mmCIF file of all heavy atoms in Angstrom:
data_model
loop_
_atom_site.group_PDB
_atom_site.id
_atom_site.type_symbol
_atom_site.label_atom_id
_atom_site.label_comp_id
_atom_site.label_asym_id
_atom_site.label_seq_id
_atom_site.Cartn_x
_atom_site.Cartn_y
_atom_site.Cartn_z
ATOM 1 N N GLU A 556 66.219 100.720 110.852
ATOM 2 C CA GLU A 556 66.931 100.220 109.690
ATOM 3 C C GLU A 556 66.234 100.642 108.399
ATOM 4 O O GLU A 556 65.021 100.813 108.363
ATOM 5 C CB GLU A 556 67.033 98.688 109.720
ATOM 6 C CG GLU A 556 67.690 98.120 110.970
ATOM 7 C CD GLU A 556 66.701 97.800 112.068
ATOM 8 O OE1 GLU A 556 65.590 98.371 112.073
ATOM 9 O OE2 GLU A 556 67.042 96.962 112.931
ATOM 10 N N SER A 557 67.026 100.736 107.340
ATOM 11 C CA SER A 557 66.496 100.994 106.011
ATOM 12 C C SER A 557 67.485 100.469 104.980
ATOM 13 O O SER A 557 68.629 100.159 105.304
ATOM 14 C CB SER A 557 66.238 102.487 105.791
ATOM 15 O OG SER A 557 67.437 103.232 105.878
ATOM 16 N N GLY A 558 67.044 100.364 103.742
ATOM 17 C CA GLY A 558 67.919 99.981 102.657
ATOM 18 C C GLY A 558 67.773 98.558 102.170
ATOM 19 O O GLY A 558 68.433 98.165 101.197
ATOM 20 N N GLY A 559 66.934 97.770 102.821
ATOM 21 C CA GLY A 559 66.724 96.408 102.379
ATOM 22 C C GLY A 559 65.950 96.356 101.075
ATOM 23 O O GLY A 559 65.408 97.358 100.613
ATOM 24 N N GLY A 560 65.910 95.169 100.490
ATOM 25 C CA GLY A 560 65.199 94.992 99.242
ATOM 26 C C GLY A 560 65.491 93.644 98.631
ATOM 27 O O GLY A 560 66.118 92.785 99.254
ATOM 28 N N SER A 561 65.026 93.463 97.408
ATOM 29 C CA SER A 561 65.235 92.224 96.661
ATOM 30 C C SER A 561 66.252 92.461 95.565
ATOM 31 O O SER A 561 66.107 93.385 94.763
ATOM 32 C CB SER A 561 63.917 91.743 96.058
ATOM 33 O OG SER A 561 62.968 91.447 97.064
ATOM 34 N N VAL A 562 67.278 91.620 95.541
ATOM 35 C CA VAL A 562 68.357 91.755 94.568
ATOM 36 C C VAL A 562 68.724 90.383 94.019
ATOM 37 O O VAL A 562 68.311 89.352 94.548
ATOM 38 C CB VAL A 562 69.607 92.413 95.176
ATOM 39 C CG1 VAL A 562 69.297 93.834 95.643
ATOM 40 C CG2 VAL A 562 70.150 91.581 96.328
ATOM 41 N N GLN A 563 69.523 90.398 92.969
ATOM 42 C CA GLN A 563 70.040 89.173 92.376
ATOM 43 C C GLN A 563 71.359 88.780 93.018
ATOM 44 O O GLN A 563 72.100 89.631 93.522
ATOM 45 C CB GLN A 563 70.235 89.352 90.876
ATOM 46 C CG GLN A 563 68.960 89.595 90.096
ATOM 47 C CD GLN A 563 68.122 88.339 89.979
ATOM 48 O OE1 GLN A 563 68.654 87.245 89.778
ATOM 49 N NE2 GLN A 563 66.813 88.482 90.117
ATOM 50 N N ALA A 564 71.657 87.509 93.009
ATOM 51 C CA ALA A 564 72.949 87.039 93.496
ATOM 52 C C ALA A 564 74.073 87.763 92.768
ATOM 53 O O ALA A 564 74.019 87.944 91.550
ATOM 54 C CB ALA A 564 73.071 85.535 93.312
ATOM 55 N N GLY A 565 75.076 88.183 93.530
ATOM 56 C CA GLY A 565 76.186 88.930 92.981
ATOM 57 C C GLY A 565 76.034 90.435 93.089
ATOM 58 O O GLY A 565 77.016 91.167 92.919
ATOM 59 N N ASP A 566 74.834 90.896 93.373
ATOM 60 C CA ASP A 566 74.582 92.328 93.489
ATOM 61 C C ASP A 566 75.048 92.867 94.838
ATOM 62 O O ASP A 566 75.466 92.121 95.718
ATOM 63 C CB ASP A 566 73.098 92.620 93.311
ATOM 64 C CG ASP A 566 72.641 92.504 91.876
ATOM 65 O OD1 ASP A 566 73.488 92.371 90.979
ATOM 66 O OD2 ASP A 566 71.413 92.540 91.659
ATOM 67 N N SER A 567 74.951 94.179 94.992
ATOM 68 C CA SER A 567 75.330 94.857 96.221
ATOM 69 C C SER A 567 74.151 95.603 96.807
ATOM 70 O O SER A 567 73.208 95.967 96.102
ATOM 71 C CB SER A 567 76.479 95.840 95.959
ATOM 72 O OG SER A 567 77.645 95.183 95.511
ATOM 73 N N LEU A 568 74.231 95.833 98.105
ATOM 74 C CA LEU A 568 73.183 96.542 98.814
ATOM 75 C C LEU A 568 73.808 97.217 100.028
ATOM 76 O O LEU A 568 74.725 96.659 100.636
ATOM 77 C CB LEU A 568 72.093 95.565 99.251
ATOM 78 C CG LEU A 568 70.665 96.073 99.487
ATOM 79 C CD1 LEU A 568 70.096 96.701 98.229
ATOM 80 C CD2 LEU A 568 69.792 94.912 99.941
ATOM 81 N N ARG A 569 73.326 98.393 100.375
ATOM 82 C CA ARG A 569 73.805 99.069 101.569
ATOM 83 C C ARG A 569 72.655 99.323 102.529
ATOM 84 O O ARG A 569 71.669 99.978 102.183
ATOM 85 C CB ARG A 569 74.493 100.397 101.244
ATOM 86 C CG ARG A 569 75.198 101.001 102.474
ATOM 87 C CD ARG A 569 75.959 102.270 102.166
ATOM 88 N NE ARG A 569 75.101 103.438 102.098
ATOM 89 C CZ ARG A 569 75.508 104.683 102.315
ATOM 90 N NH1 ARG A 569 76.784 104.919 102.603
ATOM 91 N NH2 ARG A 569 74.664 105.688 102.210
ATOM 92 N N LEU A 570 72.798 98.805 103.732
ATOM 93 C CA LEU A 570 71.821 99.023 104.781
ATOM 94 C C LEU A 570 72.246 100.198 105.654
ATOM 95 O O LEU A 570 73.432 100.419 105.871
ATOM 96 C CB LEU A 570 71.670 97.776 105.658
ATOM 97 C CG LEU A 570 71.362 96.460 104.949
ATOM 98 C CD1 LEU A 570 71.194 95.350 105.975
ATOM 99 C CD2 LEU A 570 70.127 96.586 104.076
ATOM 100 N N SER A 571 71.272 100.922 106.164
ATOM 101 C CA SER A 571 71.527 102.031 107.070
ATOM 102 C C SER A 571 70.722 101.848 108.347
ATOM 103 O O SER A 571 69.645 101.268 108.330
ATOM 104 C CB SER A 571 71.148 103.367 106.423
ATOM 105 O OG SER A 571 71.911 103.613 105.261
ATOM 106 N N CYS A 572 71.259 102.345 109.439
ATOM 107 C CA CYS A 572 70.569 102.314 110.722
ATOM 108 C C CYS A 572 70.731 103.667 111.386
ATOM 109 O O CYS A 572 71.840 104.052 111.764
ATOM 110 C CB CYS A 572 71.125 101.201 111.609
ATOM 111 S SG CYS A 572 70.459 101.201 113.291
ATOM 112 N N ALA A 573 69.634 104.380 111.523
ATOM 113 C CA ALA A 573 69.631 105.673 112.187
ATOM 114 C C ALA A 573 69.326 105.481 113.665
ATOM 115 O O ALA A 573 68.332 104.845 114.018
ATOM 116 C CB ALA A 573 68.606 106.594 111.543
ATOM 117 N N ALA A 574 70.176 106.028 114.523
ATOM 118 C CA ALA A 574 70.062 105.833 115.960
ATOM 119 C C ALA A 574 69.795 107.150 116.679
ATOM 120 O O ALA A 574 70.227 108.215 116.241
ATOM 121 C CB ALA A 574 71.333 105.196 116.516
ATOM 122 N N SER A 575 69.103 107.054 117.811
ATOM 123 C CA SER A 575 68.854 108.216 118.643
ATOM 124 C C SER A 575 68.571 107.768 120.073
ATOM 125 O O SER A 575 68.228 106.614 120.317
ATOM 126 C CB SER A 575 67.679 109.041 118.105
ATOM 127 O OG SER A 575 66.477 108.289 118.112
ATOM 128 N N GLY A 576 68.737 108.690 121.022
ATOM 129 C CA GLY A 576 68.383 108.422 122.399
ATOM 130 C C GLY A 576 69.482 107.842 123.271
ATOM 131 O O GLY A 576 69.213 107.475 124.419
ATOM 132 N N PHE A 577 70.693 107.748 122.751
ATOM 133 C CA PHE A 577 71.815 107.250 123.536
ATOM 134 C C PHE A 577 73.102 107.837 122.971
ATOM 135 O O PHE A 577 73.128 108.309 121.834
ATOM 136 C CB PHE A 577 71.857 105.716 123.550
ATOM 137 C CG PHE A 577 72.059 105.087 122.202
ATOM 138 C CD1 PHE A 577 73.333 104.760 121.762
ATOM 139 C CD2 PHE A 577 70.985 104.812 121.380
ATOM 140 C CE1 PHE A 577 73.525 104.167 120.526
ATOM 141 C CE2 PHE A 577 71.161 104.225 120.138
ATOM 142 C CZ PHE A 577 72.439 103.897 119.709
ATOM 143 N N PRO A 578 74.185 107.805 123.766
ATOM 144 C CA PRO A 578 75.470 108.364 123.287
ATOM 145 C C PRO A 578 76.085 107.453 122.231
ATOM 146 O O PRO A 578 76.846 106.534 122.534
ATOM 147 C CB PRO A 578 76.322 108.449 124.550
ATOM 148 C CG PRO A 578 75.741 107.421 125.465
ATOM 149 C CD PRO A 578 74.268 107.406 125.175
ATOM 150 N N PHE A 579 75.770 107.729 120.998
ATOM 151 C CA PHE A 579 76.084 106.868 119.870
ATOM 152 C C PHE A 579 77.554 106.460 119.812
ATOM 153 O O PHE A 579 77.881 105.289 119.603
ATOM 154 C CB PHE A 579 75.673 107.577 118.578
ATOM 155 C CG PHE A 579 75.858 106.764 117.333
ATOM 156 C CD1 PHE A 579 74.905 105.843 116.941
ATOM 157 C CD2 PHE A 579 76.983 106.942 116.541
ATOM 158 C CE1 PHE A 579 75.061 105.095 115.792
ATOM 159 C CE2 PHE A 579 77.147 106.207 115.380
ATOM 160 C CZ PHE A 579 76.184 105.275 115.004
ATOM 161 N N SER A 580 78.444 107.419 119.977
ATOM 162 C CA SER A 580 79.866 107.155 119.811
ATOM 163 C C SER A 580 80.455 106.263 120.896
ATOM 164 O O SER A 580 81.532 105.699 120.709
ATOM 165 C CB SER A 580 80.655 108.470 119.750
ATOM 166 O OG SER A 580 80.541 109.184 120.968
ATOM 167 N N ARG A 581 79.770 106.117 122.007
ATOM 168 C CA ARG A 581 80.271 105.298 123.111
ATOM 169 C C ARG A 581 79.619 103.923 123.167
ATOM 170 O O ARG A 581 79.877 103.160 124.104
ATOM 171 C CB ARG A 581 80.083 106.021 124.447
ATOM 172 C CG ARG A 581 80.889 107.317 124.535
ATOM 173 C CD ARG A 581 81.023 107.802 125.970
ATOM 174 N NE ARG A 581 79.754 108.233 126.543
ATOM 175 C CZ ARG A 581 79.255 109.456 126.437
ATOM 176 N NH1 ARG A 581 79.920 110.386 125.762
ATOM 177 N NH2 ARG A 581 78.099 109.767 127.006
ATOM 178 N N TYR A 582 78.805 103.602 122.188
ATOM 179 C CA TYR A 582 78.158 102.300 122.120
ATOM 180 C C TYR A 582 78.712 101.483 120.963
ATOM 181 O O TYR A 582 79.169 102.031 119.953
ATOM 182 C CB TYR A 582 76.649 102.462 121.922
ATOM 183 C CG TYR A 582 75.873 102.681 123.192
ATOM 184 C CD1 TYR A 582 76.184 103.713 124.063
ATOM 185 C CD2 TYR A 582 74.793 101.854 123.511
ATOM 186 C CE1 TYR A 582 75.463 103.911 125.225
ATOM 187 C CE2 TYR A 582 74.063 102.054 124.660
ATOM 188 C CZ TYR A 582 74.401 103.093 125.514
ATOM 189 O OH TYR A 582 73.657 103.289 126.658
ATOM 190 N N ALA A 583 78.689 100.171 121.135
ATOM 191 C CA ALA A 583 78.995 99.271 120.035
ATOM 192 C C ALA A 583 77.729 99.036 119.221
ATOM 193 O O ALA A 583 76.648 98.894 119.774
ATOM 194 C CB ALA A 583 79.542 97.944 120.560
ATOM 195 N N LEU A 584 77.879 99.008 117.925
ATOM 196 C CA LEU A 584 76.771 98.788 117.004
ATOM 197 C C LEU A 584 76.994 97.499 116.235
ATOM 198 O O LEU A 584 78.129 97.160 115.890
ATOM 199 C CB LEU A 584 76.634 99.951 116.025
ATOM 200 C CG LEU A 584 75.967 101.257 116.488
ATOM 201 C CD1 LEU A 584 74.539 100.995 116.949
ATOM 202 C CD2 LEU A 584 76.761 101.954 117.570
ATOM 203 N N ALA A 585 75.914 96.799 115.962
ATOM 204 C CA ALA A 585 76.023 95.521 115.272
ATOM 205 C C ALA A 585 74.882 95.331 114.285
ATOM 206 O O ALA A 585 73.812 95.924 114.428
ATOM 207 C CB ALA A 585 76.031 94.367 116.274
ATOM 208 N N TRP A 586 75.144 94.501 113.292
ATOM 209 C CA TRP A 586 74.119 94.013 112.389
ATOM 210 C C TRP A 586 73.924 92.528 112.650
ATOM 211 O O TRP A 586 74.893 91.755 112.615
ATOM 212 C CB TRP A 586 74.502 94.242 110.926
ATOM 213 C CG TRP A 586 74.423 95.679 110.519
ATOM 214 C CD1 TRP A 586 75.436 96.581 110.460
ATOM 215 C CD2 TRP A 586 73.241 96.382 110.114
ATOM 216 N NE1 TRP A 586 74.975 97.806 110.046
ATOM 217 C CE2 TRP A 586 73.629 97.712 109.827
ATOM 218 C CE3 TRP A 586 71.895 96.024 109.960
ATOM 219 C CZ2 TRP A 586 72.713 98.680 109.397
ATOM 220 C CZ3 TRP A 586 70.992 96.982 109.535
ATOM 221 C CH2 TRP A 586 71.407 98.285 109.265
ATOM 222 N N VAL A 587 72.687 92.167 112.926
ATOM 223 C CA VAL A 587 72.322 90.792 113.227
ATOM 224 C C VAL A 587 71.240 90.359 112.249
ATOM 225 O O VAL A 587 70.287 91.099 112.025
ATOM 226 C CB VAL A 587 71.819 90.645 114.672
ATOM 227 C CG1 VAL A 587 71.427 89.198 114.969
ATOM 228 C CG2 VAL A 587 72.889 91.117 115.657
ATOM 229 N N ARG A 588 71.382 89.182 111.681
ATOM 230 C CA ARG A 588 70.386 88.729 110.714
ATOM 231 C C ARG A 588 69.717 87.440 111.182
ATOM 232 O O ARG A 588 70.294 86.650 111.921
ATOM 233 C CB ARG A 588 71.004 88.523 109.330
ATOM 234 C CG ARG A 588 71.976 87.363 109.230
ATOM 235 C CD ARG A 588 72.637 87.350 107.857
ATOM 236 N NE ARG A 588 73.552 86.238 107.688
ATOM 237 C CZ ARG A 588 74.354 86.087 106.643
ATOM 238 N NH1 ARG A 588 74.349 86.992 105.668
ATOM 239 N NH2 ARG A 588 75.159 85.035 106.573
ATOM 240 N N GLN A 589 68.491 87.248 110.726
ATOM 241 C CA GLN A 589 67.738 86.047 111.056
ATOM 242 C C GLN A 589 66.996 85.561 109.818
ATOM 243 O O GLN A 589 65.977 86.149 109.429
ATOM 244 C CB GLN A 589 66.760 86.290 112.198
ATOM 245 C CG GLN A 589 66.046 85.027 112.648
ATOM 246 C CD GLN A 589 65.291 85.209 113.945
ATOM 247 O OE1 GLN A 589 64.849 86.307 114.263
ATOM 248 N NE2 GLN A 589 65.150 84.135 114.695
#
């Protein structure tokens, strides 16, 4: 993952996740937060 940071309420942010080692197009991808 990349793209995280500190922002103000109301702002926007885009996260990215670079994947490798598996058939990407045949897998489901998810974003999970804690």
Side-chain angles (χ1 to χ4, degrees):
E556 303 91 338
S557 62
S561 298
V562 298
Q563 296 287 320
D566 286 351
S567 298
L568 205 59
R569 189 176 80 155
L570 306 182
S571 299
C572 174
S575 62
F577 63 93
F579 184 83
S580 63
R581 297 197 293 273
Y582 276 55
L584 282 301
W586 288 97
V587 179
R588 68 186 182 188
Q589 185 169 28

